[in-house]
Amino acid sequence: MELKAKLRTELGKKTNALRKAGFLPAVVYGEKIESQSIAVPYKDFWKVYKEAGESTLITLDVSGKQYNVLIHDIASDPLKGHPLHADFYAVRMDKIIRTKVPLVFFGESQAVKNEGGILIKVTQELEVEALPQDLPHELKVDLTSLIICGSKLLVRDISFPKGVKVVASPDDIVVVVEAPRTEEELADLKEAPVAETSTEVKTEREIKQELKVKESGAEIDKTIGKEKEVGKKGPGGIK
């Protein structure tokens, strides 16, 4: 994929005029490449971004000079969601880089279909290392192997293209199917944290009190919450 851009001198608030004219303000930078302010046609950028995402190599033509780049970062309008600015990172084709690749889930889980299981996608992307030309656009995850509730897929279960190394642990969970819960079980879950927290706080308080008694030679008056002097009075006593 190729995207044409032009050098720009509009900076700061002047970039609003660029946007109104249908251009997206951007910058291109990289190793041994001086940062350049550029502008790309908004429609062309959006078309390429939808296909390439942030993990597929594209060719950026800046006024006739070409760079192999990744769409590195996008600033979007918080209300409308459309891009306001983009960063293009020029890569070296002979140097391994690290980036995140989105996961695409496909297929139907029998545990969900037949047992009413709840499909939980623990992660939506994985960090990988590869040469720029070997970076995959996406990683596919097949859900058909999830036969019963409790089934899960780990990182090691995903097929990675040649030359691509995953950064995550092979034992990290990617997706899991949990058994459906009854209303009684859901009610128990809501009450359980309160009971556990209460027990934990009480035990901790008792331990602190016991330690304080041993260190100071004093006993805790549970009625008024104050320490009373015990043992010998003197330099070692409590005043």
Side-chain angles (χ1 to χ4, degrees), residues 52-145:
E54 297 185 18
S55 61
T56 300
L57 202 65
I58 65 174
T59 301
L60 182 67
D61 186 315
V62 182
S63 301
K65 189 171 183 179
Q66 294 186 338
Y67 302 93
N68 295 311
V69 302
L70 293 173
I71 300 174
H72 187 59
D73 190 26
I74 296 177
S76 300
D77 186 293
L79 298 178
K80 299 180 180 179
H82 58 72
L84 296 176
H85 188 277
D87 288 7
F88 295 95
Y89 180 66
V91 301
R92 281 178 46 182
M93 300 302 290
D94 61 344
K95 186 176 181 179
I96 291 176
I97 60 175
R98 177 181 291 191
T99 189
K100 292 182 178 179
V101 178
L103 301 180
V104 175
F105 300 87
F106 71 97
E108 188 175 27
S109 165
Q110 295 302 309
V112 175
K113 180 181 179 181
N114 300 329
E115 300 183 23
I118 303 170
L119 185 71
I120 299 177
K121 299 173 182 176
V122 179
T123 183
Q124 299 284 349
E125 60 185 9
L126 286 175
E127 196 169 26
V128 301
E129 291 180 342
L131 290 171
Q133 62 269 26
D134 293 332
L135 285 172
H137 173 58
E138 60 190 22
L139 294 170
K140 294 185 176 181
V141 182
D142 187 358
L143 302 177
T144 56
S145 62

Side-chain angles (χ1 to χ4, degrees), residues 207-218 220 227:
I207 291 173
K208 287 182 177 179
Q209 289 176 345
E210 290 174 0
L211 289 175
K212 202 168 185 180
V213 169
K214 290 179 180 179
E215 291 176 357
S216 63
I220 303 301
E227 297 174 344

Side-chain angles (χ1 to χ4, degrees), residues 148-212:
I148 61 174
C149 289
S151 300
K152 56 189 175 183
L153 289 173
L154 309 178
V155 169
R156 65 160 60 97
D157 299 319
I158 300 176
S159 297
F160 294 92
K162 185 179 180 180
V164 177
K165 178 184 177 183
V166 64
V167 178
S169 167
D171 296 323
D172 285 352
I173 298 175
V174 175
V175 61
V176 63
V177 179
E178 287 192 354
R181 293 191 175 113
T182 64
E183 292 183 2
E184 291 79 6
E185 289 174 329
L186 292 174
D188 290 341
L189 285 175
K190 290 181 180 179
E191 295 176 0
V194 177
E196 290 174 1
T197 301
S198 176
T199 303
E200 183 180 350
V201 171
K202 183 179 179 181
T203 303
E204 184 180 357
R205 185 183 297 117
E206 289 176 349
I207 291 173
K208 287 182 177 179
Q209 289 176 345
E210 290 174 0
L211 289 175
K212 202 168 185 180

